[in-house]
Amino acid sequence: MAGLWGKRRREEQAALDAQDADLARRARSSLVAVDERIRTTADELDFAVAELGEGPTKDVRDALQAVRTHLGEAFHLHQLNHDEIPDTPEELRTRNARIVQLCEWAEELLDDRTEALAADIERVRRAPEILAQVRVDIETLTERLPHARVTLDRLAQRYSAAALRQVADGPDEAEQLLTFAAHSADVSFRRREAERREEANLALETATEAVRRAAAIIDGIEDFEIEALRAESTLADVIADSRGDLVAARDAPQVPAVTAAAAALEAALAALPPSREKADPFTQLSQLREANSGLDAAIAVARERAARPIPSVAHVRHALDDADRQIAVARNVIAGHRGWIGADARTRLAEAERSRIDAEPLTTDEDTREEAMILARRAGALANEALHLAQRDIDSSRPQDSGWGGQGGGRRGGMGDAMGGILGGMVIGSLLGDFFDG
């Protein structure tokens, strides 16, 4: 048995030694890799600074500084592993693990910072190509401006000024943006020629963004015509649907909500301008849809109420009166036996009283009368539960051998029990009240 145990120990030690050796190799290779990565990133940073300037490259410079600082710690730990002072396996293991951790952190930080800068560097390398494309886009969009103005004039003959307010100034805005983009492109070219790369890049980004916004405006004018035609087509369908809903509303329960919603929909239909007048199909469609949806919702609620009749005021008052009686009984029992009543019964009574108060203002409105009935019934049920819990507390606190003759027998449950319960509750409640008052 001892030999078997010794063999197992040797195998475990051999496995641990192999892990330590692998960790040491990882620490050495990680140090070499990170050191080379720092040198490569520093070279790339010099190029990026030359192309982008100091501002956009600050994050990479800060990352390099942090990595160099922490890599100094890693080299120091590696030196300790190879100095003349003997080390335990645990010390070597701890240092090598820390070296690997620092190197992995350095690689991740540099990856994150250089990846963020890679797009900027690629854009700088493609700056001449991008600048040429910006000039082509400016020319193309400028050629589209007259057509956009013609489209807007055609739209103005069919739609109201309110409908066109989003695109009315579009051609002028696009023209201003294109002029600004052309100026920014010229500035970018001159700054690049003067080796002022950071300013050149900023001007190029400005020109690119101005071209993008101008294209969006011109596209929006052309798209508006299509969207307006779709809105008109949809409006015709909604008008037909609304007229059908008004006919169907005659068969719905004629409650005030349905009547008001039908009147609102009729008013929305009547407000539609004649076909020969300029209109705003977007606003008309929105208003008509809102009125149509309102009638649908009112009819649905009315039919649901018809299927489940609303309780009358008399029924609600009867439920409230019943809750009042049950609350009064529970309140009297608890008040008469205060010293014996626990928290459960008192909590149920307080909740019953709160529900009763909440129910009162809901009784007059037809829309809330059903909720008032629910609260009234809840108040009664809670009061009844409070009464049962109070009786439980009284029964558990009442002496079991309180006959006339003390413990020696006699009548049980007679005047002694009654007086004991009353006096017990009064005396204990009084003592507790005096204690807390003091």
Side-chain angles (χ1 to χ4, degrees), residues 37-88:
R37 178 66 185 278
I38 289 175
R39 299 175 190 277
T40 302
T41 304
D43 293 339
E44 293 176 351
L45 179 60
D46 291 339
F47 171 79
V49 171
E51 293 293 328
L52 301 176
E54 296 289 339
T57 58
K58 181 179 182 302
D59 287 345
V60 177
R61 289 201 310 276
D62 293 345
L64 268 176
Q65 183 59 41
V67 168
R68 284 176 174 137
T69 299
H70 288 288
L71 194 63
E73 177 188 349
F75 277 121
H76 176 66
L77 293 173
H78 186 68
Q79 177 61 35
L80 291 177
N81 287 345
H82 298 84
D83 61 15
E84 68 279 1
I85 301 175
D87 299 307
T88 65

Side-chain angles (χ1 to χ4, degrees), residues 235-283:
L235 180 62
D237 294 337
V238 175
I239 290 173
D241 182 62
S242 298
R243 289 172 177 162
D245 288 346
L246 287 173
V247 173
R250 298 170 187 169
D251 298 329
Q254 296 304 302
V255 297
V258 172
T259 303
L265 182 55
E266 288 176 345
L269 287 170
L272 294 174
S275 58
R276 63 181 179 275
E277 291 186 7
K278 296 179 181 180
D280 182 356
F282 301 103
T283 301

